[in-house]
Amino acid sequence: MTAAEAILVTDEVGKIVEITPALTRMTGYPRRELLGQLAGTLYRALDANEQPLDITQTLNAEGVWQGETFFLHKNGKQIPTTTAISRIVDESGKKIGRVAVISDVSQRKEAQQKLRFLAYHDALTELPNLRMLTSLVDSRFGESALNPQPAALLFIDLDRLKTLNDSYGHEIGDVVIKAVAKHLALHLPPGHLLCRRSGDEFIALIDMTEDMSPASLQRDYLADLNNLVVTTDAGLVAVSVSAGAARYDLDADNFNDLMICADIALNEAKQTRRGSIVWYDSQMSQKLYRQKMIQSKLAKALEAKVLQVHYQPEVDLRDGKVIGFEALLRWTDAELGVINPSEFIRISEESHLAETVAIYVFNQIAKDKPFIRQRFPKAVIAFNVAPQAFRDYHLVNVMTAQHDENDDSLSGLEVEITESDIASGEKNLLTQLQMLANIGVPVVIDDFGVGYSSLSRLSSFPISRLKIDSTFVAGMQGGQQARIVEVIVNLANVLNLQVTAEGVENDEQRLALIQLGCIRAQGWLYAKAMPLPDVLALPDVLQAVALSQE
């Protein structure tokens, strides 16, 4: 017997004749109030829906009874117990009473309830988890469902949670996740089912009434999903979400397929319209199929050296003289046709092939550079490297080995990273870029102006040049964009950096850039990216050629 066990003794008619102190502590009744009372008034069935316990019948038949019950505390609280009752007989075998040994199992029951809760709920937000959501919707969309109602399934993704965790710590990230959960619950339509799927993903199931359309749902309920600023110990954090939505039964007639469609739409939102809600359509499936095909082919294409490095000239805007090149990767597949870099570069980063791609491009440049430098002795060659390529030191080691073999092998070579890459917080990025600068490979910031790097970050990186993003160049006639270009040029001058404009396509842009003090540029006004033989056939000075308006 343990300290949590109590003993209760009754006479043959069930009146209490003796108890241990443990029973008074368990029930809250003093000894004097229990003695002489019928013990049955303390016992209750464990489940209120069960029939009353018939202990006497079992005792008469078997002499013992054992099972789960609950006792009633004096304050009315139910105390779950396990109880074992035996007959008491005298020397002649006459039944003279009963003895019960009672164990308080409240803590065990609470632990079991907590485990059951955790099995079907998310520990951080206390929202249902995917297991619970799946069980709830099975009855709605399963084979046994009768006339299931139209519904919308939303896959909701918290934007840039990794950056938030890396910048402020996971504790702040958890605060934001909990705030988002409350925000979603508040703004989704009444009667919704909301669950947390994983770290930064939520799923919501919404009933679509007759007067509700995707447009009205988005207007009346979903438009406010991004209006959230969370107060944390690190300050105010503005939060945005991306979402993919699919409709039952327009897009799918079962829950599994509905989840696939919503996931496809979420993928589209994250790629093209982050911070918005995208509704599924069949073209997205075709796009996703193509992406999966690209993913399955990319590693083999790199191994087979199918991808080609082309070079787009960079010129002096004042006279068209060739002063450098940007190395750009091109891929044409026999089955998929021309594969745009915007397709396969992103996939390479998601598939952990960014480092392989960067080394592939560098090795090809190393072969081509002697020919290019022979034709254009002072030309520099820049190539893009994704921040994921710096997670390990393989690229830096390959380039350092080249330098160790020949001090001049890296002369005129530059590495381009985007402004957003600098702010990504990628581990070892600054260290490895500094290592490259030490062996004569400076850094160029590509797509400058569209990211969110700080001046302190810019000053800490071994940067030699800024490249103005083409969106600003394209909009220079509007006035505001021209002022942004002017600010970037002035910033480059203050930091003693060179500056290049990207995407120059007409003479008006060329003249405006010169007037603002930007004299380096690349764009289709002069030439598109081209293979090595075409590079070697270029004249020293390129003539501006206006683009056709086709």
Side-chain angles (χ1 to χ4, degrees), residues 414-417 422 433 437 441-445 461-465:
E414 297 176 326
V415 164
E416 291 190 8
I417 61 174
I422 287 182
L433 292 177
V441 182
V443 177
V444 176
I445 303 300
F461 279 75
I463 298 168
S464 65
R465 186 156 50 97

Side-chain angles (χ1 to χ4, degrees), residues 215-233:
S216 65
L217 177 63
Q218 192 149 334
R219 180 188 66 242
D220 298 337
Y221 295 102
L222 307 183
D224 290 331
L225 291 187
N226 281 317
N227 296 334
L228 176 62
V229 177
V230 182
T231 302
T232 73
D233 291 342

Side-chain angles (χ1 to χ4, degrees), residues 59-309:
L59 285 172
N60 290 335
E62 303 178 11
V64 295
W65 180 92
Q66 184 171 345
E68 290 190 353
T69 66
F70 66 76
F71 271 41
L72 288 179
H73 192 277
K74 187 175 182 179
N75 62 12
K77 179 182 176 181
Q78 298 177 353
I79 307 166
T81 69
T82 57
T83 302
I85 305 174
S86 300
R87 283 281 187 189
I88 303 175
V89 296
D90 60 15
E91 295 178 354
S92 64
K94 181 181 177 182
K95 301 173 184 176
I96 60 174
R98 307 167 189 170
V99 59
V101 178
I102 305 118
S103 298
D104 184 344
V105 293
S106 299
Q107 292 184 349
R108 191 187 78 192
K109 290 293 184 181
E110 289 174 3
Q112 290 174 345
Q113 290 176 356
K114 186 174 182 179
L115 287 174
R116 281 195 293 269
F117 181 85
L118 291 177
Y120 289 96
H121 291 80
D122 172 59
L124 178 63
T125 63
E126 296 189 351
L127 288 175
N129 58 20
L130 182 59
R131 177 189 294 179
M132 184 172 183
L133 180 69
T134 302
S135 66
L136 290 173
V137 300
D138 273 347
S139 59
R140 295 183 56 174
F141 300 128
E143 294 182 358
S144 60
L146 298 175
N147 301 319
Q149 299 299 309
L153 186 71
L154 269 65
F155 274 21
I156 304 167
D157 184 86
L158 176 58
D159 293 332
R160 298 182 178 89
L161 179 62
K162 181 181 183 301
T163 301
L164 181 68
N165 286 333
D166 291 344
S167 300
Y168 301 111
H170 286 268
E171 293 80 5
I172 300 299
D174 287 348
V175 170
V176 171
I177 289 171
K178 292 173 69 173
V180 169
K182 292 181 180 179
H183 188 67
L184 292 174
L186 179 65
H187 286 86
L188 292 174
H192 66 266
L193 293 175
L194 176 65
C195 86
R196 184 183 178 203
R197 183 189 190 190
S198 63
D200 59 354
E201 288 191 357
F202 297 84
I203 299 179
L205 184 67
I206 300 170
D207 288 325
M208 299 282 287
T209 59
E210 292 183 359
D211 59 347
M212 186 184 294
S213 66
S216 65
L217 177 63
Q218 192 149 334
R219 180 188 66 242
D220 298 337
Y221 295 102
L222 307 183
D224 290 331
L225 291 187
N226 281 317
N227 296 334
L228 176 62
V229 177
V230 182
T231 302
T232 73
D233 291 342
L236 297 178
V237 177
V239 180
S240 69
V241 298
S242 302
R247 288 157 293 182
Y248 179 90
D249 56 352
L250 181 62
D251 299 321
D253 60 3
N254 63 80
F255 184 59
N256 185 62
D257 288 349
L258 194 65
M259 290 183 65
I260 293 173
C261 291
D263 206 8
I264 291 172
L266 173 60
N267 183 66
E268 180 72 13
K270 290 164 67 174
Q271 288 184 36
T272 62
R273 283 176 276 173
R274 190 175 287 273
S276 66
I277 297 162
V278 172
W279 290 81
Y280 172 83
D281 65 50
S282 59
Q283 291 182 347
M284 293 179 191
S285 293
Q286 298 171 9
K287 180 179 179 180
L288 183 63
Y289 173 77
R290 178 177 172 86
Q291 291 173 350
K292 289 182 177 180
M293 290 292 292
I294 292 171
Q295 185 174 14
S296 68
K297 288 172 173 281
L298 181 56
K300 294 179 181 178
L302 289 167
E303 184 178 355
K305 295 181 170 52
V306 173
L307 282 74
Q308 295 182 326
V309 175

Side-chain angles (χ1 to χ4, degrees), residues 358-370 383 393-411 413 435-436 438-441:
I359 294 174
Y360 182 96
V361 174
F362 169 74
N363 287 334
Q364 188 59 53
I365 293 174
K367 295 178 182 178
D368 295 345
K369 189 166 75 76
F383 71 105
Y393 284 78
H394 297 160
L395 173 63
V396 172
N397 290 340
V398 168
M399 297 178 71
T400 302
Q402 281 263 8
H403 177 265
D404 292 343
E405 289 183 13
N406 180 358
D407 289 348
D408 192 49
S409 63
L410 302 181
S411 175
L413 197 62
M435 291 172 65
L436 290 178
N438 293 340
I439 58 175
V441 182

